[in-house]
Amino acid sequence: MKKIISTISLSVTALLVVFVLQYNSGAKTTEEAMTIAGLTTLETLYEKKTEEGSILLYRVPGEDQISLAFLNRDFSGYEYVDGTIQYETTSLEEQAGITYVTLRQSDDLPYTIYAGVTTNPDLYEVLVTEPTFNIAHSAKVFESDVEGVYIWMAYSPDFKGESFTLIGLSESGEVVGDLEQSGTELTIHSIDTSEAH
């Protein structure tokens, strides 16, 4: 009987040690997980925690881009799953009035994500539409973790991320940004953003 109790006790102890080692081996933050994934420097603009994981909107200091990443989150910490980058965001905002980056749904990603960054405080919301939508999805603009930088984000398993229209509106409903993407073709409907100020 003592052998059985001793064996059970040893097994439980071994399982606890394995559990603690696994728990301590995971990344404790999304930034740490991104470092493990190979990114050395990043500036977090916004992190959205969902039931399925965390969505990270970030940029690399000194580069004209914004990036999206999706990370799994479990008892052992964070793990990078997928990500994407949109370059030349300054030029895009000057021409279209808004910026965007899209991360499409996959076997490892439970939904398609749209997000964007602006320094225009007059941008109040972004309407996301796709060809199969009867009504646009509204994403409110809010200040990011970086002062003076505003962001918007929308995610849904209903989004496809292949063809879409993004319309940026001021609080009064004036169009301050407008672009559409069909496959790989981007069409910018120029807006005079100086009129919105």
Side-chain angles (χ1 to χ4, degrees), residues 30-172:
T30 51
E31 289 86 357
E32 185 181 338
M34 295 302 290
T35 301
I36 292 168
L39 188 64
T40 55
T41 307
L42 68 95
E43 178 181 40
T44 299
L45 299 171
Y46 182 63
E47 179 181 349
K48 173 68 178 175
K49 293 182 180 181
T50 70
E51 289 181 15
E52 298 82 6
S54 280
I55 302 168
L56 186 66
L57 180 64
Y58 67 95
R59 62 186 177 190
V60 175
E63 294 186 16
D64 188 19
Q65 51 89 1
I66 53 173
S67 301
L68 266 176
F70 181 77
L71 300 99
N72 276 337
R73 186 179 70 248
D74 60 24
F75 69 90
S76 66
Y78 291 92
E79 179 185 22
Y80 174 83
V81 174
D82 199 3
T84 188
I85 300 170
Q86 175 70 52
Y87 293 100
E88 299 180 11
T89 55
T90 302
S91 174
L92 182 61
E93 184 171 22
E94 287 172 358
Q95 293 177 57
I98 55 177
T99 66
Y100 75 98
V101 59
T102 306
L103 185 56
R104 290 176 53 189
Q105 185 176 12
S106 68
D107 291 340
D108 298 322
L109 186 63
Y111 31 66
T112 293
I113 308 162
Y114 292 102
V117 175
T118 184
T119 55
N120 180 0
D122 293 326
L123 184 63
Y124 178 73
E125 75 179 315
V126 175
L127 302 179
V128 180
T129 60
E130 293 189 352
T132 59
F133 290 8
N134 291 327
I135 189 165
H137 181 96
S138 173
K140 296 290 188 225
V141 176
F142 54 96
E143 191 159 10
S144 75
D145 294 339
V146 177
E147 187 178 342
V149 176
Y150 303 89
I151 66 169
W152 63 272
M153 181 180 288
Y155 58 95
S156 172
D158 297 329
F159 292 155
K160 303 297 180 214
E162 296 167 359
S163 297
F164 54 87
T165 300
L166 304 175
I167 298 174
L169 300 175
S170 68
E171 192 167 6
S172 65

Side-chain angles (χ1 to χ4, degrees), residues 1-14:
M1 185 66 159
K2 286 184 178 180
K3 270 188 165 182
I4 293 173
I5 293 173
S6 180
T7 303
I8 291 172
S9 178
L10 186 59
S11 297
V12 169
T13 303

